[in-house]
Amino acid sequence: MEVNTPIPPEKAFKSFVLDYDTLFPKVVPHAIKSVEILEGDGGPGTIKKITFAEGIGFNYVKHKVHTLNKENRSYSHSVIEGDVLSNKLEKITDENKFDPTPNGGTIIKITTKFYSVGDAEITEDEMKKVIESRARVYNAVEEYLIANPDA
């Protein structure tokens, strides 16, 4: 998935990665109720619990941070627990890269991999649901950042 945004790369990386824990529950409380660090300092090895708002269709997920590189604006993590995995998925891994665009904005390149349990099959619709819900949240945060440039 690729997300284009007019927000400069440094600000996009800061907002979507470094400030995620506080910014997302504030901007999209209808989707993300809270983010709690269970273990670590935010860098590699950190485990976070993200609790979703009622009506989202999922209760929570736990993320494990794998990489966090501020210099090249990249970040990777896995969903290691939560009802989004159901009984079909071992984990979902995301690799995110925030690259500049010629107009001063950012292209966020997100590579998502779904790891199934045993022979369980994940349908295109199931994968699409996860990716589309993430895109809606990203769009809402982008709108907030554009409307509040000092945020």
Side-chain angles (χ1 to χ4, degrees), residues 33-117:
K33 184 177 179 180
S34 65
V35 180
E36 175 185 3
I37 293 182
L38 301 177
E39 187 178 309
D41 61 2
T46 296
I47 297 177
K48 298 179 182 187
K49 180 180 181 184
I50 298 154
T51 303
F52 298 108
E54 284 188 40
I56 290 298
F58 306 114
N59 293 315
Y60 79 97
V61 294
K62 285 186 182 175
H63 280 188
K64 182 173 185 178
V65 177
H66 299 296
T67 62
L68 175 64
N69 187 317
K70 295 176 187 176
E71 288 75 35
N72 73 1
R73 297 175 308 274
S74 64
Y75 171 75
S76 66
H77 72 272
S78 291
V79 174
I80 57 169
E81 184 180 311
D83 49 358
V84 69
L85 298 176
S86 65
N87 58 354
K88 292 183 175 185
L89 294 168
E90 174 189 332
K91 64 182 176 180
I92 302 170
T93 300
D94 285 328
E95 296 175 5
N96 303 271
K97 181 79 171 89
F98 294 70
D99 291 326
T101 60
N103 66 356
T106 305
I107 183 165
I108 307 169
K109 298 176 183 173
I110 304 167
T111 303
T112 303
K113 295 180 183 173
F114 295 82
Y115 294 86
S116 62
V117 173

